[in-house]
Amino acid sequence: MKILVVGGGGREHAIIRKLKESKEITEIHALPGNGGMYKDAKTVNIGAKDIDAIVKYAVDNEIDYAVVAPDDPLVLGCVDALEKAGIPAFGPKANAAIIEGSKVFSKNLMKKYGIPTATYEVFSDADLAMEYVKSSALPIVIKADGLALGKGVIIAFTREEAIDAINSVMNDKKFGSSGDNIVIEEFLTGPEVSVLAFTDGKTVKPMISSMDHKRALDGDKGLNTGGMGTIAPNPYYTKEIADECMKTIFLPTIDAMNKEGRTFKGCLYFGLMLTPNGPKVIEYNCRFGDPETQVVLPLLESDLFTIMKATTYGTLAGCEVKFSDKCACCVIMASKGYPEKYQSGFEMEIPEEIEELVYVAGAKYENEKLLSAGGRVLGVVDVQPTLKKAIDGAYAKVNKIKFDNAFYRHDIGARALMATEEK
Ligand code: AMP
Ligand code: GLY
């Protein structure tokens, strides 16, 4: 079978490597993919947001099944357009992808169906929003309604910061029309957990839990990024908490989407906070997380392609989704300067013996050389029987990679390790 994967980062590389294990698959095409995938897929320079060109490519190349990985094409209706052209696809249709595409939608959904989340107010008028934060509790969280590359959330510790945030999002349009409306919500505390779940709109099968590290610098300092590293499983996410989340969050969300006439199929990402008052939803994503996928999929023992098709065809209940009981750690190697200004074009050498679990997020392949191209460049993963060993193993691999301009955190997994008995 010929498979098409839409997207071009480390998440997509991890998906492609897992799909390659499936015996049914004979060819994988990545749109646009990146140069670091040259051994795993045919990469074609069509942007992930160019829906018409993606559909045309899929039809012309007789693609049997497509996997749409990033948020933008999902929200723009890539799955709808592919299916209209007769190509089955993994991922939600646009009317369900709105669960990530609009925070106002997702907050209102949670309120309507009693799904635990931070209390909030929605504003479409900057003056009223500013009036509100003058007397709100601090810190307070301000979120742009629409997609903003994971940067549309501002935690304001003072009233001045809150006013500045409202100004830049609503008046200066820092995130364009994504800031036409904003959500202002209560600040929650507690460990964060990412749970990705397969669903066909009836059954939910959560994957192994994970923990992201969003800040750029060690000790959770510095700017927010797309994610600097992950570990799985997340030791804070116990069996009891998982059972509670299934009852109070996962099933009610699938049910709520059905009741709204927006059946969700694909991978639904639950960004949770384990607060003193129980688990609450911080955000939904309509897709696999990045870099969560880089630690979750290496632990998946069942066939990914079989599961993906089961979400599309509504047969997930009878489909095995089994994970290994090992642990994984992913350290992101970024270009110095990320998430602000950075340079590209640095030569990288990844020794062949560790290549299998190094996922390339941003690179070019030119004259048989791999050159960095992007902020987040590599996801370096190790899988081991314990979390401590996985962390040590990932950093040992980082030290074997030649990438002069690399910048990475040195404490991925440290907080999780404190929650385990290993230390
Ligand atoms: P998001 O893009 O919605 O995942 O938010 C980015 C990060 O901001 C989250 O991973 C949390 O660390 C933090 N955050 C978002 N909402 C809240 C909240 N209500 N209280 C505390 N932290 C939050
Ligand atoms: N790692 C967070 C996300 O994928 O949104």
Side-chain angles (χ1 to χ4, degrees):
M1 284 193 131
K2 289 183 176 182
I3 307 296
L4 170 74
V5 174
V6 176
R11 164 186 56 205
E12 286 76 8
H13 201 189
I15 291 172
I16 288 168
R17 285 256 175 88
K18 200 73 198 174
L19 287 173
K20 265 179 81 180
E21 293 174 12
S22 178
K23 292 189 183 64
E24 276 181 275
I25 295 178
T26 49
E27 270 178 44
I28 303 182
H29 302 234
L31 272 54
N34 77 68
M37 300 175 182
Y38 72 98
K39 288 186 185 171
D40 304 304
K42 178 177 182 202
T43 60
V44 182
N45 196 14
I46 292 176
K49 289 200 249 180
D50 195 346
I51 310 294
D52 292 344
I54 292 168
V55 174
K56 181 170 186 323
Y57 182 89
V59 171
D60 290 351
N61 289 277
E62 298 178 335
I63 294 293
D64 296 298
Y65 189 82
V67 177
V68 183
D71 45 10
D72 280 315
L74 289 167
V75 170
L76 290 170
C78 193
V79 167
D80 311 54
L82 284 162
E83 289 193 350
K84 209 163 148 204
I87 297 161
F90 178 81
K93 293 190 173 166
N95 76 343
I98 191 175
I99 199 165
E100 173 170 4
S102 167
K103 289 201 194 287
V104 172
F105 170 84
S106 66
K107 294 297 293 189
N108 289 343
L109 184 85
M110 288 186 270
K111 188 191 255 178
K112 182 167 171 191
Y113 292 93
I115 299 164
T117 189
T119 56
Y120 70 101
E121 297 287 336
V122 174
F123 293 93
S124 52
D125 179 302
D127 292 337
L128 290 178
M130 287 184 195
E131 203 49 44
Y132 177 78
V133 298
K134 274 188 195 153
S135 57
S136 69
L138 290 171
I140 188 94
V141 184
I142 292 151
K143 299 185 171 184
D145 176 37
L147 297 179
L149 293 170
K151 295 181 183 128
V153 174
I154 298 133
I155 296 175
F157 290 87
T158 64
R159 294 196 200 285
E160 292 68 40
E161 279 172 14
I163 303 258
D164 283 352
I166 294 165
N167 245 326
S168 72
V169 175
M170 296 194 89
N171 292 335
D172 303 342
K173 298 279 177 220
K174 190 170 176 196
F175 307 111
S177 59
S178 286
D180 288 350
N181 295 299
I182 60 167
V183 170
I184 300 187
E185 72 177 25
E186 169 199 14
F187 178 75
L188 299 176
T189 55
E192 286 185 56
V193 184
S194 305
V195 179
L196 321 181
F198 291 111
T199 177
D200 60 359
K202 297 175 279 188
T203 302
V204 196
K205 296 211 170 170
M207 297 177 226
I208 200 161
S209 63
S210 56
M211 183 192 283
D212 193 7
H213 297 67
K214 285 209 167 84
R215 299 298 198 95
L217 305 176
D218 288 4
D220 289 329
K221 304 245 159 54
L223 295 171
N224 253 323
T225 69
M228 293 302 291
T230 35
I231 57 97
N234 186 322
Y236 290 101
Y237 191 71
T238 60
K239 168 91 179 59
E240 291 69 42
I241 294 175
D243 290 346
E244 185 181 350
C245 289
M246 180 57 92
K247 246 191 288 168
T248 62
I249 296 174
F250 305 160
L251 289 171
T253 302
I254 297 304
D255 206 35
M257 290 298 276
N258 284 332
K259 289 198 173 114
E260 295 293 308
R262 298 174 181 272
T263 296
F264 190 104
K265 292 180 175 191
C267 172
L268 182 52
Y269 169 129
F270 297 90
L272 307 174
M273 196 170 265
L274 308 181
T275 77
N277 299 317
K280 297 195 178 180
V281 177
I282 288 281
E283 64 161 347
Y284 292 114
N285 291 326
C286 64
R287 52 169 175 86
F288 281 97
D290 189 345
E292 283 89 342
T293 306
Q294 290 89 315
V295 285
V296 168
L297 289 187
L299 297 172
L300 178 65
E301 289 181 341
S302 313
D303 183 71
L304 177 60
F305 185 41
T306 305
I307 301 169
M308 285 181 156
K309 282 186 296 179
T311 68
T312 305
Y313 298 119
T315 53
L316 190 62
C319 181
E320 182 193 65
V321 178
K322 188 167 177 285
F323 283 86
S324 114
D325 55 12
K326 292 187 176 167
C327 299
C329 173
C330 171
V331 177
I332 295 293
M333 295 178 80
S335 287
K336 207 192 248 150
Y338 175 78
E340 295 188 289
K341 251 182 116 145
Y342 57 82
Q343 291 178 323
S344 288
F346 294 92
E347 195 179 327
M348 299 182 287
E349 281 171 30
I350 306 167
E352 233 175 279
E353 76 269 15
I354 64 165
E355 206 175 51
E356 191 193 336
L357 285 176
V358 177
Y359 300 116
V360 183
K364 278 192 199 156
Y365 189 63
E366 276 175 11
N367 306 321
E368 299 188 10
K369 286 196 171 99
L370 198 59
L371 306 173
S372 71
R376 291 191 294 174
V377 178
L378 303 175
V380 184
V381 175
D382 200 26
V383 173
Q384 292 290 342
T386 67
L387 178 59
K388 171 91 174 73
K389 286 190 174 137
I391 295 169
D392 291 346
Y395 280 106
K397 289 182 185 178
V398 165
N399 288 329
K400 287 186 183 159
I401 292 171
K402 180 176 169 279
F403 173 11
D404 287 342
N405 201 42
F407 151 70
Y408 56 91
R409 272 180 66 160
H410 302 83
D411 63 346
I412 300 303
R415 185 169 180 202
L417 210 50
M418 280 186 336
T420 68
E421 283 140 14
E422 304 167 21
K423 301 249 164 49

